[in-house]
C-alpha cells in the first residue's frame, strides 16, 4: 500500500472514531494533516484563541516535508485508534 493510500485510510479512520480524542491529539493530527497537504504554515496568525491553537500547532511542524508529515499522521492514528474506535 502506498503512503498516499495509508494516509487516506488514516484520515477515514479518524472520521470513524466513536470517541473523541483529547484536544492535544486532535491538534497534533490537525497540524500533521495541514503540513502533509499544504506544507509550512502560509497564513498570518489569527486573533481568536481556537484558531491560534491550530495555527501554533501547524507552525510547530515547519520544515517537515509532506511525506514525513503523512507518515507521522498515519503513525499517530495507528497509535490511538484502538482507544477511540
Amino acid at each position: 500500500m502506498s503512503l498516499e493510500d495509508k494516509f487516506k485510510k488514516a484520515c477515514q479512520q479518524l472520521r470513524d472514531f466513536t470517541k473523541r480524542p483529547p484536544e492535544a491529539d486532535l491538534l497534533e493530527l490537525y497540524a500533521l494533516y495541514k503540513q502533509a497537504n499544504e506544507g509550512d504554515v502560509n497564513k498570518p496568525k489569527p486573533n481568536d484563541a481556537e484558531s491560534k491553537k491550530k495555527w501554533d500547532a501547524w507552525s510547530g511542524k515547519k520544515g517537515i516535508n509532506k511525506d514525513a508529515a503523512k507518515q507521522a499522521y498515519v503513525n499517530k492514528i495507528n497509535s490511538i485508534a484502538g482507544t477511540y474506535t
Side-chain angles (χ1 to χ4, degrees), residues 3-4 7 10 32 35-37 64-75:
L3 178 57
E4 186 63 30
F7 180 69
L32 290 169
Q35 191 69 21
N37 285 294
I64 298 175
N65 74 46
K66 290 182 177 187
D67 284 345
K70 285 178 183 180
Q71 186 61 58
Y73 185 96
V74 169
N75 293 345

Side-chain angles (χ1 to χ4, degrees), residues 16-85:
D16 292 341
F17 282 2
T18 56
K19 298 177 192 168
R20 183 178 171 85
E23 182 180 18
D25 287 340
L26 292 175
L27 284 171
E28 175 77 5
L29 289 166
Y30 172 84
L32 290 169
Y33 181 87
K34 294 294 276 187
Q35 191 69 21
N37 285 294
E38 297 183 36
D40 291 345
V41 69
N42 55 8
K43 299 172 183 169
K45 191 170 188 172
N47 293 323
D48 68 283
E50 187 64 29
S51 296
K52 279 183 186 178
K53 287 181 196 177
K54 289 180 176 182
W55 189 94
D56 287 339
W58 181 14
S59 181
K61 303 301 179 193
K62 185 176 182 179
I64 298 175
N65 74 46
K66 290 182 177 187
D67 284 345
K70 285 178 183 180
Q71 186 61 58
Y73 185 96
V74 169
N75 293 345
K76 181 69 175 178
I77 289 291
N78 288 339
S79 74
I80 67 172
T83 305
Y84 302 109
T85 54

